[in-house]
Amino acid sequence: MIKNRLVDVLKVQGGDFPHLLVYGPSGAGKKTRIMCLLRELYGPGVEKLRIEHQTIVAPSKKKIEINTIASNYHIEVNPCDAGNQDRVVIQELIKTVAQSQQIQSSTQREFKVVLLTEVDRLTKDAQHALRRTMEKYMATCRLILCSTSTSKVIGPIQSRCLAVRVPLPSKEEVCSVLTSVCKKEGLLLPPELAKQISDKSGRNLRRALLMCEACRVQQYPFSADQDVPEPDWEVYLRETANAIVSQQSPQRLLEVRARLYELLTHCIPPDIIIKGLVEELLNNCDGQLKTEVAHLAAYYEHRLQLGSKAIYHLEAFVAKFMAIYKKFMEDGLDAMMF
Amino acid sequence: MDEYDELFEIEDQFEEQFADELEVLAEMEEETSEPAKRPKLAQGDDVSDIQHLLDDQPITPKAKRQKNDTGVVKRLFNGSQTQERNVPPQRDDITPPSSPEHYEPSKTFRSTPAMLDISGFAEIPETPRRPVTPTPASTHVLKRPPLEGEFISVTDSSGNRVYLRQKEEMDTKTVESRIVPNSDGGLGLLALPIRALREQEAERRHQQVVEESQRLTELLVSSVNDVFAESENPEDQENEDPEDAEGRASRLWVDRFSPRHYTELLSDDFTNRCLLKWLKLWDTVVFGRERKSRPARSDRQAAHQNSFKPNQGGQNQNRFRSKVEMTEEILEAELDQYKRPKYKVALLSGPPGLGKTTLAHVIAKHAGYNVVEINASDDRSTEVFQKRIDTATQMKSVLGSNERPNCLVIDEIDGAPAAAINILLSVLNRKDGHGAEAGTETAKKRKKKESILLRPIICICNDLYVPALRPLRQQAFLLVFPQTQPSRLTQRLAEISSQQGLKADTGALMSLCEKTDNDIRSCINTLQFLHGRGLKQLDSRTIQSVSVGQKDQNKGLFYVWQEIFQLPRTKRKRIGEGFEEAPGSGSGFQRFQHILHLASSSGEYEKVSLGLYDNYLSMRVRDPNLQAVCEALDWLTFSDRLNQVILHGQNFSLMKYLPFLSVAFHFLFAHTHVPRISYPHSHHEASSHLLSSRNALSTMLADIPASIRSRIGQLSLTLDILTLLLDIICPKLRPVNPQLFSSREKDQMRELIATMLAYNLSYRQDRTPEGQYTYVLEPRVEDVARFSGLPPRRQLTYQAKQTISREMEQEKMRRAEQMMLQRNPVAKVEEIKSAGPKLTRNHQQRLENIVKQTTVETRPEVDFFGRAVAPKPQGPQSSSDSGEKCAVLAMGTAVGNSDVWFRFNEGMSNAVRRNVYIRELL
């Protein structure tokens, strides 16, 4: 249903392809496309997956344990699991995979595929380590990098890869997917509900499907105006944004801080928090203020990436917003008076 | 005669009454004075006395002569009065026995009783040189000649004649008369010695007062009175000379001016007295002296003891007693069975430079001990420590001049390893146990000496709350040193600086004290340093400008935070503050410097900044536009980035910029109110919480099957999947037995279980603290997905969860079985075949055989050997060969009819064996 242009690429290339950098927002279907591609390459054997626990010894004699998901033809690694030591993972693991030749190359492709996920969270060191590896083992191995954005992938790697952007599906596409899935499950999905779900999911297909299932569990014969469950953290974040807009004072900032801590401890990444906050806050802002707020958010998000204590930066952003917003409101009131 | 008797009685009473004071006075003469006495003297009186005394100049030289005279007399006394000598030593419990000449004065009192005491005590302070008037209270000096007994008439310098009773001490007096000729032209043998003695006594008092006065004048007037210095110093030096030799040799003022006497101690009087009293408690066991020599006192004690007993019993209830009272009580408490004090160890604690070590040394010396010190410079490994303690507490130097008992001073004990402290404790306690066994034989001192701690131990530490000291704290007599009073310290400093020819005014010295936080050592060192630089004039400006003496000490974190958030009060003089005290002018700069110094000396930037972050929003600062808050946060983010750069690039030269955060916060948020500061927990809590959530997620991810695992990462799990998944696994289930579910419900159930298994979730039974059983989701991802402030989501009931968990167990078993079958399909076939019988093979196989047998046998009606057999009723009388079969047959039929059976085995044993299983009975 969703066109897999990757497969087209493959067909054009005649079964071979360069390193790929697949990027796009979460829930757009990057992994799905990649798996389709692999299946196209190697046949159904790709879907026989197993989890392997690998132990890598860093030069500092520190042991790093990492889980990989592998089939006979490819291996999937998330180097970020190793935290700061991801460079070692890249160097050791990928080299060993890349250096070993494929057995029976007559019937198989002559290369293996290494799938690296969450490349945007790789440290710079690890990305630089990747550069040479990519060129050196081109004969035996293809890399598919998977990330949410290219902005954190260094230029040299981007230039070595064929970048493929996977956009979010449109709302109509989401709706059609939902209806087809429901049909397969033997359920009747009213189009209004499908529309509502696709709105609420933010075109994130994974979430849309999950929401649909949650709706099913909640109440089966679907009703058109059914409540669509949302992730808790989003609701919480929205409430936080409302708290910020409704009052601007140090006390309120203290409350907001507690909520931010709460979000952080629930494993919500700080950049997602700041993004969510900005989206909510922008809804409450006047036009003039919007650019300023967006600028602020970008500024503090950058700081956040540079620093280590996310809470300071989040709070700094909130405080700054409060100050601007308050000033704006007071100016507005003054203007109304005169 | 009546009158005479009365008088005599009065005298006795008097002696009893003032025994304490006499003792004290005696002591004051000997060395310095009883601690309590000196400060109690009213300042004004003192001064007037002194003034009065100072008027007659010739006194001082004369005093010296007189002193020599007394020396002679004393010596003579020693020679002649051997039998009297045995009496007095009991009297004095403070003077140590090792210095015999200390006893002499009290002996002289004895030999010329009462009169001397009275006159000396009552009158001398005012008019030491006034001609002696016949004292009314005296029984020995009479205005009229006594009616009976021998007497001597005496005429004093003013011409008054008195009559003295002659007593047994005749021989003494004759001796005296021989040495001290009638220089005054007085009458008889007795008159002169008494007068001489009186004068000596007066002189000595006078000297004392003069000494005191000298000290006081020095304190009051910073400039030295030269005459006095001249007249006094030689004597002072004379006293100190032997001990001072080493101090003089060393060039540090700290050593040179360290106190040699109890009265010179600068530390808090109460503390000093407590330690002295505690040490005195040991006298009974160490010197074999009775603790309460005074009968009156012991009586009182006895009377008190009854009233004390319940008090001590109720000590726990009575917690609200002041600390002072508690300490007093400890000191009043009874000695234990070996006459040791209740607390065997005194533990002095306090910041450096207050004179703890000095106090311990001085007091131990004062009480007649030989000080043995162990400090951090010594090896404190266990064996060495043990050995040293044993040596110090159980041995005594036999050779050499100081045959005093040892007093062990363990300095800097807070740095000692825990093992060493345990050894100390075992010395205290283990020996107690030994002693308890041998408790009955109190007479055998030898034996006890080997086992029990019989010497005082004084421990000294800076930090009382070091973990290693915890056990010791409970067993020790704790004395916490308060700050030295700046006034006393300044006085002493003034003394020193004047002696060294350094001109310093009180204000300068005061500011020096403040700068060093009343650290005596640091003050004196700074003084010497300044003196060494050739400074002759000292004022507060130089003190403040000099950077020496300001200790780079570690203040508590709370202190740092408080300083940052609190504006300095204007009247409070700050050390860092500059050259003019004008509050407005440069205060910003001074505050800046002060806070910067504070923050950089504390060193714990991380903790400090966390504390600032946690507390700054609760400060009472008017900040309507949140400008200050924004700026503060900008500073925080800056320091965070700085930290990151420092840590990642290991660029530690940037560290010096970190303390400026504190300065910024000070200028933004400092307020005159005393801030309420709480310890920053939030960051730590958050990080530990985050860690536990991460762990929950990773355990969940770890066991998810590969096909699903490849589709979800941790991020998508938290952001998208988890909360919705938790909704999905909470379907509406009818609260009925799952067997009664409709097919649709069964499908739903199956789906639910499949989902939960696929995502590695399960329910685990748990018991709440209230004793209720609940099922919790394992791994605990619910905490990760759910937020506290939001409306609660629908939860499954306990029964539903129970059902689900049971079904899941079954499903898991089913899957495991399938997995096994898939893995070895050959075994599968066999197992399927043998699956049925395998379960109940043992008896049922046999049963089947038997049943088969019966069916087979009943059909042809032929027995095992081919003969036809009529079915007989089972009976014991059947023949052996066919009986067997009959039994079998009977069994077969019986078994065919019922589930319960038993078999009787003949021949082998007479045991009855029955194979009955519970599950067959059910």
Side-chain angles (χ1 to χ4, degrees), chain B residues 31 96-99 101-102 243 286-287 361-372 392 395-407 455:
Chain B
E31 221 176 319
S98 46
S99 45
E101 63 280 348
H102 291 341
E243 298 151 284
V286 176
F287 298 111
H361 278 253
V362 166
I363 281 186
K365 223 177 276 172
H366 183 78
Y369 290 92
N370 176 35
V371 180
V372 178
M395 299 183 191
K396 182 178 175 181
S397 71
V398 269
L399 298 171
S401 54
N402 52 346
E403 292 174 15
R404 305 177 179 191
N406 287 331
C407 170
R455 295 288 176 265

Side-chain angles (χ1 to χ4, degrees), chain B residues 164-178:
Chain B
L164 298 175
R165 276 180 62 91
Q166 222 169 341
K167 285 182 83 178
E168 302 82 59
E169 295 95 346
M170 262 310 279
D171 49 348
T172 330
K173 270 138 216 175
T174 50
V175 174
E176 279 176 39
S177 68
R178 253 183 280 133

Side-chain angles (χ1 to χ4, degrees), chain B residues 306-318 321 329:
Chain B
N306 292 338
S307 61
F308 264 140
K309 276 271 157 64
N311 236 359
Q312 278 169 348
Q315 203 159 7
N316 287 339
Q317 308 157 356
N318 216 346
R321 234 169 318 191
E329 193 159 291

Side-chain angles (χ1 to χ4, degrees), chain A residues 31 204 206-207 216 218 230-233 257 264-266 300 303 306 308-309 311 313 315 326, chain B residues 606 613 616 624 634 637 640-641 644 690 693 710 715-716 719-720 723 732 751 783-784 786 793:
Chain A
K31 208 53 148 317
N204 180 337
R206 181 194 295 128
R207 194 183 287 180
R216 209 284 305 268
Q218 233 173 36
E230 275 179 291
D232 271 5
W233 66 268
R257 177 197 294 180
L264 284 173
T265 55
H266 282 70
Y300 283 106
R303 289 295 170 97
L306 295 176
S308 60
K309 286 203 182 61
I311 188 78
H313 305 274
E315 189 171 311
K326 195 166 188 186
Chain B
E606 187 75 21
Y613 175 66
Y616 81 95
D634 277 347
T637 52
D640 178 38
R641 281 172 61 204
Q644 184 81 353
L690 181 64
S693 328
S710 73
L715 204 59
S716 58
L719 292 184
D720 298 338
T723 40
K732 279 178 197 146
E751 229 168 80
D783 300 341
V784 182
R786 299 282 184 235
R793 299 296 184 102

Side-chain angles (χ1 to χ4, degrees), chain A residues 269-329:
Chain A
D271 46 344
I272 302 269
I273 295 177
I274 211 166
K275 195 174 149 206
L277 274 182
V278 175
E279 277 170 5
E280 294 297 330
L281 292 176
L282 283 180
N283 292 340
N284 289 299
C285 286
D286 268 8
Q288 310 161 255
L289 219 51
K290 273 181 180 163
T291 50
E292 206 173 341
V293 171
H295 170 74
L296 273 183
Y299 175 81
Y300 283 106
E301 205 264 351
H302 178 61
R303 289 295 170 97
L304 186 135
Q305 300 296 338
L306 295 176
S308 60
K309 286 203 182 61
I311 188 78
Y312 289 172
H313 305 274
L314 290 177
E315 189 171 311
F317 168 66
V318 172
K320 199 83 188 165
F321 174 82
M322 278 183 173
I324 293 176
Y325 189 76
K326 195 166 188 186
K327 188 163 180 298
F328 178 79
M329 294 303 275

Side-chain angles (χ1 to χ4, degrees), chain A residues 4 58 65 98 120 127 143 198 223 239 246 267 271 317 324 330:
Chain A
N4 195 344
E65 304 216 335
D120 46 349
Q127 296 195 25
L143 283 174
S198 69
S223 66
E239 282 181 8
S246 65
C267 291
D271 46 344
F317 168 66
I324 293 176
E330 276 166 5

Side-chain angles (χ1 to χ4, degrees), chain B residues 387-622:
Chain B
K387 204 173 152 198
R388 292 199 62 150
I389 289 184
D390 287 346
T391 328
T393 54
Q394 296 182 359
M395 299 183 191
K396 182 178 175 181
S397 71
V398 269
L399 298 171
S401 54
N402 52 346
E403 292 174 15
R404 305 177 179 191
N406 287 331
C407 170
L408 184 61
V409 174
I410 305 176
D411 207 347
E412 294 145 22
I413 198 173
D414 43 355
I421 286 166
N422 286 337
I423 283 180
L424 178 60
L425 285 171
S426 72
V427 168
L428 299 182
N429 295 329
R430 178 201 64 201
K431 311 219 155 167
D432 262 335
H434 266 251
E437 284 165 27
T440 47
E441 42 207 318
T442 38
K444 289 182 186 172
K445 264 225 156 147
R446 286 280 137 243
K447 203 164 187 187
K448 267 203 281 175
K449 255 209 160 154
E450 287 165 2
S451 56
I452 304 177
L453 176 74
L454 291 173
R455 295 288 176 265
I457 298 180
I458 303 175
C459 299
I460 302 173
C461 65
N462 283 339
D463 186 1
L464 189 55
Y465 298 99
V466 167
L469 286 182
R470 194 176 299 142
L472 184 64
R473 265 204 319 263
Q474 292 153 0
Q475 298 200 15
F477 171 56
L478 299 180
L479 267 180
V480 179
F481 259 64
Q483 287 271 326
T484 316
Q485 281 167 11
S487 54
R488 292 181 79 169
L489 181 53
T490 347
Q491 284 166 6
R492 178 79 182 150
L493 290 178
E495 221 171 287
I496 290 169
S497 55
S498 68
Q499 276 194 29
Q500 295 296 325
L502 184 68
K503 287 223 167 22
D505 59 38
T506 325
L509 294 176
M510 281 296 265
S511 61
L512 179 62
C513 294
E514 197 182 324
K515 188 169 183 173
T516 55
D517 276 331
N518 299 328
D519 180 338
I520 301 168
R521 179 168 33 215
S522 170
C523 279
I524 297 177
N525 276 336
T526 313
L527 269 188
Q528 188 180 9
F529 174 77
L530 292 174
H531 184 250
R533 287 207 308 195
L535 217 63
K536 290 285 167 235
Q537 187 81 28
L538 194 68
D539 53 14
S540 41
R541 259 190 72 163
T542 35
I543 295 265
Q544 268 154 7
S545 60
V546 84
S547 57
V548 185
Q550 193 161 357
K551 283 196 288 185
D552 189 19
Q553 61 182 345
N554 211 345
K555 292 277 172 58
L557 280 170
F558 274 96
Y559 176 79
V560 174
W561 290 324
Q562 183 142 355
E563 284 295 297
I564 291 171
F565 282 127
Q566 193 173 14
L567 278 178
R569 271 172 283 156
T570 40
K571 63 179 173 195
R572 216 153 110 201
K573 283 182 277 180
R574 288 254 149 260
I575 288 98
E577 272 170 29
F579 313 103
E580 278 110 48
E581 295 278 89
S585 64
S587 71
F589 174 73
Q590 288 143 19
R591 276 160 60 199
F592 186 97
Q593 289 295 337
H594 174 61
I595 298 292
L596 188 62
H597 174 77
L598 200 67
S600 52
S601 66
S602 93
E604 293 176 86
Y605 305 126
E606 187 75 21
K607 270 270 165 57
V608 169
S609 68
L610 278 177
L612 294 178
Y613 175 66
D614 263 27
N615 286 303
Y616 81 95
L617 282 179
S618 30
M619 291 303 129
R620 280 185 279 178
V621 176
R622 251 188 71 74

